[in-house]
């Protein structure tokens, strides 16, 4: 499990983020901090793998705090979650070596996409290997796309991470699923879920079954065997 520490001065926001993370496979929340000083103490005590870091804290700027946290946990990864939109702030965060920058407000799906990318890419770098393959590096820098694997490019606005979440939902299902059922599981819109499902159908990954009732037949999707 990937251990996550949440650093946010808003108690309710931190609670919401914790709920998002607990519903993300492979992640667990090990602690919450509401000030920079508390974050340093908790990071040293808990040694998390990943910190969800807000920039606006009552006692320190989050980007300055990031360096203090890495002094007590050198292998720490940081995902910034903030309402700060200033280009200089984003640029400074990138130079500080963050894994992603997510601007508030965001949806559960937005966060899940970033977490899934982190899990597959950063944690996918096998420390037992002495040499990384180019494909390993591509995943870290977000270049591991469907197009790079020989498939059609994803529709505009779609991401590889969400596509994998859709596939995981279908694999875990006992039978077929509708776009609405997938949307509820992932916390996204039905229109967005259907776009991914239709993409997978066009790629020959899914079969479509029509369920007839009142009105238009419902399209239901199932992985091909």
């Amino acid at each position: 499990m990937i251990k996550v520490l949440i650093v946010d001065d808003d108690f309710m926001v931190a609670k919401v983020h914790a709920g998002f993370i607990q519903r993300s496979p492979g992640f667990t929340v090990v602690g919450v901090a509401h000030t920079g000083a508390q974050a340093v103490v908790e990071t040293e005590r808990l040694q998390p793998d990943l910190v969800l870091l807000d920039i606006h804290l009552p006692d320190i700027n989050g980007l300055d705090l990031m360096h203090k946290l890495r002094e007590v946990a050198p292998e720490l990864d940081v995902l910034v979650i903030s309402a700060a939109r200033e280009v200089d702030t984003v640029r400074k965060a990138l130079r500080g070596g963050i894994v992603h920058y997510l601007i508030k407000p965001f949806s559960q799906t937005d966060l899940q996409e970033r977490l899934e990318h982190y899990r597959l890419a950063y944690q996918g770098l096998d420390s037992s290997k002495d040499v990384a393959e180019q494909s390993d590096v591509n995943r870290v820098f977000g270049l591991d796309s469907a197009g790079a694997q020989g498939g059609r490019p994803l529709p505009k606005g779609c991401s590889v991470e969400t596509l994998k979440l859709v596939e995981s939902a279908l694999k875990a299902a006992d039978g077929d699923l509708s776009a609405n059922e997938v949307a509820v599981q992932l916390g996204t819109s039905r229109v967005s879920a259907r776009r991914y499902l239709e993409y997978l159908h066009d790629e020959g990954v899914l079969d479509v079954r029509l369920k007839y009732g009142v009105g238009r037949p419902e399209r239901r999707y199932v992985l091909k065997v």
Side-chain angles (χ1 to χ4, degrees):
M1 296 290 284
I2 297 171
K3 299 182 296 182
V4 182
L5 172 68
I6 299 171
V7 181
D8 197 298
D9 67 327
D10 190 311
F11 285 74
M12 288 305 300
V13 169
K15 185 176 181 179
V16 170
H17 292 167
F20 284 176
I21 294 168
Q22 291 297 106
R23 290 191 290 272
S24 299
F27 292 84
T28 184
V29 177
V30 294
V32 177
H34 302 294
T35 67
Q38 185 183 8
V40 172
V41 171
E42 291 298 276
T43 298
E44 185 171 21
R45 181 176 73 88
L46 299 169
Q47 292 295 307
D49 302 300
L50 178 69
V51 167
L52 262 63
L53 177 65
D54 191 11
I55 289 179
H56 299 305
L57 297 170
D59 55 343
I60 190 173
N61 179 282
L63 298 184
D64 296 327
L65 173 64
M66 181 166 58
H67 303 295
K68 294 181 178 293
L69 297 181
R70 285 183 172 143
E71 288 177 1
V72 297
E75 300 298 317
L76 184 69
D77 289 320
V78 177
L79 193 163
V80 171
I81 46 173
S82 178
R85 297 170 175 265
E86 299 83 1
V87 172
D88 286 344
T89 300
V90 177
R91 186 179 291 121
K92 184 177 179 181
L94 291 171
R95 288 172 177 164
I98 62 171
V99 300
H100 217 293
Y101 193 109
L102 190 54
I103 297 174
K104 296 178 181 178
F106 52 84
S107 68
Q108 178 178 342
T109 302
D110 292 330
L111 181 56
Q112 279 186 316
E113 286 180 0
R114 276 66 176 185
L115 293 174
E116 183 69 4
H117 175 262
Y118 173 76
R119 185 181 68 81
L120 294 174
Y122 286 81
Q123 294 293 309
L125 284 174
D126 189 351
S127 59
S128 67
K129 292 168 60 176
D130 294 326
V131 179
E133 302 295 335
Q134 183 64 53
S135 59
D136 298 326
V137 179
N138 287 348
R139 281 197 302 274
V140 173
F141 287 95
L143 298 177
D144 184 24
S145 65
Q149 299 302 317
R152 292 186 302 112
L154 287 172
K156 186 177 180 180
C158 292
S159 71
V160 175
E161 290 76 28
T162 300
L163 181 69
K164 290 176 179 176
L165 290 174
V166 171
E167 290 182 284
S168 295
L170 289 161
K171 289 176 182 176
D174 291 332
D176 52 30
L177 293 174
S178 68
N180 188 61
E181 289 166 340
V182 172
V184 170
Q185 286 192 39
L186 301 186
T188 187
S189 70
R190 185 188 65 80
V191 172
S192 177
R194 179 163 180 169
R195 202 156 62 224
Y196 286 99
L197 291 165
E198 288 295 333
Y199 171 86
L200 291 170
H201 175 247
D202 292 342
E203 287 294 293
V205 177
L206 306 181
D207 282 327
V208 173
R209 299 170 179 171
L210 297 180
K211 181 179 180 181
Y212 292 91
V214 179
R216 297 175 59 185
E218 180 184 50
R219 292 173 68 84
R220 300 188 63 83
Y221 304 83
V222 64
L223 287 172
K224 286 187 175 181
V225 293

